[in-house]
Amino acid sequence: MKLVSTACTSCIVIAGVVFDGIVFACLAALALARPQTPESEAETVLDERSDNGDGNFQYTFETSNGIRASKIGTPGSEGQSNMQGSFSFLLPDGSTAEVSFVADENGYQPSSDLLPVAPPLPDHVHELLRIAEEQRASGITFE
């Protein structure tokens, strides 16, 4: 009877060791699955700001993972803030995405090699635009 009891105790010990191993493996997998990218631990390395209180301002911001942004603002002619600036960040392939912009009376105007560009207009559209301009110049209007 004691032999049976020892065998069962051994089974329980072995099962406990296997269970502990499974739990450890799961915890290790969870730890390794945690984001290992610099974004998860990025820190601000530069943060310079100035605001004159009259609509003029500027700031520069940079993080340890390569994110950068800068902006200069001035009062606009229609009461808005006119701004120009840029921002950049690292892409997954290691290259840097850069966007510069102007925001003023004409709206937000970004510029970047990464932004899509419309194809050129077909020749007949240029002709139609010329005809429309002639019509406007001669006073023709359409309602």
Side-chain angles (χ1 to χ4, degrees):
M1 191 77 153
K2 189 173 184 178
L3 184 61
V4 172
S5 177
T6 304
C8 289
T9 303
S10 297
C11 291
I12 292 171
V13 169
I14 291 172
V17 170
V18 170
F19 180 75
D20 288 347
I22 291 172
V23 169
F24 176 76
C26 289
L27 290 174
L30 184 63
L32 291 174
R34 182 178 68 87
Q36 301 294 318
T37 59
E39 289 83 10
S40 66
E41 298 177 11
E43 296 178 5
T44 301
V45 295
L46 177 66
D47 188 358
E48 296 177 347
R49 300 167 187 258
S50 68
D51 187 342
N52 299 342
D54 60 358
N56 291 291
F57 68 90
Q58 75 175 52
Y59 81 81
T60 302
F61 180 82
E62 186 176 336
T63 62
S64 60
N65 62 350
I67 296 172
R68 293 184 176 98
S70 64
K71 187 185 299 184
I72 296 173
T74 57
S77 63
E78 298 179 22
Q80 81 287 350
S81 289
N82 287 345
M83 297 176 236
Q84 68 180 45
S86 64
F87 58 90
S88 63
F89 53 92
L90 294 177
L91 295 171
D93 68 2
S95 63
T96 301
E98 296 182 43
V99 178
S100 58
F101 64 88
V102 172
D104 58 16
E105 293 86 0
N106 299 312
Y108 180 72
Q109 305 150 54
S111 174
S112 174
D113 291 340
L114 298 172
L115 296 175
V117 177
L121 295 174
D123 291 336
H124 72 278
V125 172
H126 293 289
E127 178 64 16
L128 292 172
L129 291 172
R130 185 190 62 73
I131 292 169
E133 184 57 37
E134 286 177 2
Q135 290 173 339
R136 272 192 292 279
S138 66
I140 298 174
T141 60
F142 299 93
E143 293 183 31

